[in-house]
Amino acid sequence: MYLFGASGHGKVVADIAIENGVDITAFIDDDINKNECYGFPVIHNIIKKEIPVIITIGDNIIRKEIAEKIVNKIEKAVHPQSVISQSSKIGKGTVVMGGVTINADSSVGEHCIINTNSSIDHDCFIEDFVHVSPNVALAGNVYVAEGSHIGIGATVIQNVKIGKWCVIGAGTVVLKDIPDYSVVVGNPGRIIKNINT
């Protein structure tokens, strides 16, 4: 397997691959000054297209840009110490870190990051390219649209919809629907600005 992105996030995904007995061929990175990461070689382009890839870049926009260019098969990585309901769905390219819980009938899209110790309760729907940071708690029936980033330790109550390409600040408590391209902080969460589209 190739890991596309030789950085800290890539190291965590490498650990998940190792825990699952998956062989890592190399990291791929645009930085020509990087030749090694976490004991693996770093190459600067894809050499063998038959080798599967996981994009290991934390930035949602960059992850989407790369996903649109890659022709290799895309894999997902799920830490063996996560708890995933048999009725939930996880899309290709998504990474689920250690300590995560994803409960019944939830759906996680493609190329998402479900980070350490986060909790996705029943009937949640997470679209593609979302990053759910460590220790986030999503209650039941939460909808998170494409590209949104939910900051570390944020809490979202049940039946809330978060629009696309939003940023929910660390520790924010979301009590109502959030429109697209919003930046939200505080307890209770309030919109402080809109992201230019």
Side-chain angles (χ1 to χ4, degrees), residues 96-174:
V96 178
M97 307 298 192
V100 166
T101 299
I102 300 176
N103 280 329
D105 288 329
S106 286
S107 178
V108 179
E110 297 182 1
H111 301 284
C112 293
I113 300 169
I114 310 299
N115 223 318
T116 309
N117 294 326
S118 58
S119 175
I120 313 295
D121 216 328
H122 63 87
D123 299 296
C124 288
F125 192 92
I126 298 172
E127 290 189 353
D128 301 342
F129 306 105
V130 167
H131 184 169
V132 176
S133 294
N135 296 308
V136 164
L138 303 184
N141 201 39
V142 168
Y143 191 105
V144 183
E146 181 186 71
S148 287
H149 184 172
I150 303 176
I152 191 167
T155 302
V156 183
I157 68 164
Q158 68 275 6
N159 304 315
V160 164
K161 179 176 181 181
I162 295 173
K164 63 184 177 180
W165 300 101
C166 292
V167 176
I168 309 300
T172 296
V173 178
V174 179

Side-chain angles (χ1 to χ4, degrees), residues 28-185:
I28 302 167
D29 203 282
D30 291 344
D31 186 345
I32 60 171
N33 295 312
K34 290 183 178 179
N35 296 307
E36 182 272 337
C37 180
Y38 212 49
F40 297 98
V42 175
I43 59 175
H44 306 293
N45 55 22
I46 293 176
I47 296 172
K48 295 182 179 179
K49 297 205 176 349
E50 66 274 14
I51 296 176
V53 173
I54 294 178
I55 303 168
T56 55
I57 294 173
D59 184 287
N60 295 347
I61 294 171
I62 296 172
R63 203 163 58 255
K64 182 175 182 180
E65 290 171 354
I66 293 168
E68 291 171 345
K69 296 175 185 174
I70 286 179
V71 297
N72 295 58
K73 179 183 177 187
I74 304 294
E75 293 287 352
K76 60 187 171 188
V78 178
H79 197 287
Q81 293 181 9
S82 58
V83 178
I84 313 294
S85 169
Q86 62 182 4
S87 63
S88 66
K89 297 181 180 105
I90 299 171
K92 69 181 182 181
T94 288
V95 177
V96 178
M97 307 298 192
V100 166
T101 299
I102 300 176
N103 280 329
D105 288 329
S106 286
S107 178
V108 179
E110 297 182 1
H111 301 284
C112 293
I113 300 169
I114 310 299
N115 223 318
T116 309
N117 294 326
S118 58
S119 175
I120 313 295
D121 216 328
H122 63 87
D123 299 296
C124 288
F125 192 92
I126 298 172
E127 290 189 353
D128 301 342
F129 306 105
V130 167
H131 184 169
V132 176
S133 294
N135 296 308
V136 164
L138 303 184
N141 201 39
V142 168
Y143 191 105
V144 183
E146 181 186 71
S148 287
H149 184 172
I150 303 176
I152 191 167
T155 302
V156 183
I157 68 164
Q158 68 275 6
N159 304 315
V160 164
K161 179 176 181 181
I162 295 173
K164 63 184 177 180
W165 300 101
C166 292
V167 176
I168 309 300
T172 296
V173 178
V174 179
L175 302 176
K176 61 184 179 179
D177 290 356
I178 305 297
D180 298 347
Y181 305 107
S182 297
V183 178
V184 180
V185 299

